[in-house]
């Protein structure tokens, strides 16, 4: 894997770089061949919070994890554990699918045994909601989201006539998801 490590409000020292590569390098054992895609790692420090964000684009799959703590090394450890759980879950899901269809998966290695999915990790829809999308602009959608106390809000954008989502980011600001 090719690591692209950048720092925001922190200098990426050789020790930090080595630690990131060592910890994330252990994920390679889960793949048939080491992914050739770039692993994007962002290290940042904001108000005593050491944040690590890792994105690994794979064919047909995007692995992403983020963690914050008072210690950068602990954040790196936690992000690695989160990514490892994601890979194991996905591998279990892929293996189940390919057992049913009778074909083989070539993205993940058989050396790393799949972990049974815990009951709490089951991919099960437990509630379905239906509602009519009211056309509104982005600002009105943010106001509606704040009024109902949710962290996201789905709406029909009155300018583009497309379905959009506004959401509250961890930094307290807002994001907008548009159809591609």
């Amino acid at each position: 894997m090719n690591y692209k490590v950048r720092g925001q409000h922190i200098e990426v020292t050789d020790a930090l770089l080595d630690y990131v590569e060592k910890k994330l390098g252990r994920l390679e054992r889960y793949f048939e061949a080491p992914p050739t895609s770039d692993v994007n790692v962002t290290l940042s420090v904001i108000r005593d919070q050491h944040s690590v964000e890792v994105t690994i684009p794979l064919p047909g799959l995007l692995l992403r994890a983020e963690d914050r703590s008072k210690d950068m090394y602990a954040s790196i450890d936690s992000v690695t554990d989160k990514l490892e759980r994601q890979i194991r879950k996905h591998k279990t899901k892929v293996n189940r699918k390919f057992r049913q269809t009778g074909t083989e998966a070539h993205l993940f290695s058989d050396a790393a045994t799949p972990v049974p999915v815990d009951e709490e990790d089951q991919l099960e829809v437990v509630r379905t909601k239906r509602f009519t999308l009211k056309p509104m602009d982005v600002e009105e959608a943010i106001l509606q989201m704040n009024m109902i106390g949710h962290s996201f809000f789905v709406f029909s954008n009155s300018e583009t006539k497309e379905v959009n989502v506004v959401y509250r980011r961890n930094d307290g600001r807002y994001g907008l998801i548009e159809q591609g």
Side-chain angles (χ1 to χ4, degrees):
M1 291 193 278
N2 181 28
Y3 301 97
K4 289 189 172 183
V5 182
R6 67 184 187 95
Q8 291 180 333
H9 310 293
I10 185 174
E11 179 185 341
V12 180
T13 63
D14 289 340
L16 270 175
L17 186 60
D18 289 344
Y19 195 75
V20 166
E21 289 178 1
K22 175 185 165 202
K23 292 304 262 185
L24 293 177
R26 76 179 203 203
L27 300 176
E28 289 185 19
R29 68 180 179 194
Y30 289 100
F31 301 98
E32 284 290 325
T36 56
S37 58
D38 291 337
V39 176
N40 296 306
V41 181
T42 303
L43 310 175
S44 63
V45 178
I46 300 173
R47 286 185 247 130
D48 249 359
Q49 287 292 308
H50 297 254
S51 176
V52 178
E53 185 179 319
V54 179
T55 306
I56 306 172
L58 299 170
L61 175 68
L62 179 71
L63 299 173
R64 185 185 176 286
E66 182 178 345
D67 191 72
R68 296 166 206 242
S69 71
K70 297 246 181 229
D71 178 54
M72 185 61 75
Y73 291 95
S75 293
I76 294 168
D77 290 344
S78 181
V79 160
T80 304
D81 291 343
K82 287 178 181 180
L83 288 168
E84 196 167 14
R85 279 193 302 274
Q86 284 180 28
I87 291 170
R88 286 178 174 173
K89 280 184 189 179
H90 191 73
K91 181 179 179 190
T92 301
K93 178 181 158 187
V94 167
N95 285 344
R96 188 179 313 128
K97 177 181 174 185
F98 284 106
R99 266 195 307 265
Q100 290 171 352
T101 61
T103 58
E104 289 186 29
H106 295 288
L107 178 62
F108 296 107
S109 167
D110 289 331
T113 56
V115 174
V117 179
D118 297 333
E119 281 185 36
E120 65 188 42
D121 293 336
Q122 290 291 331
L123 305 174
E124 178 185 356
V125 175
V126 295
R127 184 173 182 185
T128 301
K129 288 186 175 184
R130 292 189 184 277
F131 56 95
T132 305
L133 297 179
K134 176 185 167 197
M136 60 181 74
D137 61 22
V138 175
E139 291 78 18
E140 184 180 352
I142 291 171
L143 291 172
Q144 290 288 329
M145 176 184 68
N146 288 334
M147 245 179 20
I148 61 175
H150 287 190
S151 58
F152 70 93
F153 187 79
V154 181
F155 68 103
S156 175
N157 191 318
S158 59
E159 295 172 14
T160 64
K161 308 293 187 241
E162 306 228 339
V163 175
N164 289 175
V165 177
V166 290
Y167 63 96
R168 187 175 301 106
R169 297 168 38 97
N170 289 335
D171 62 7
R173 297 184 299 177
Y174 300 100
L176 174 67
I177 300 174
E178 299 178 312
Q179 287 179 270

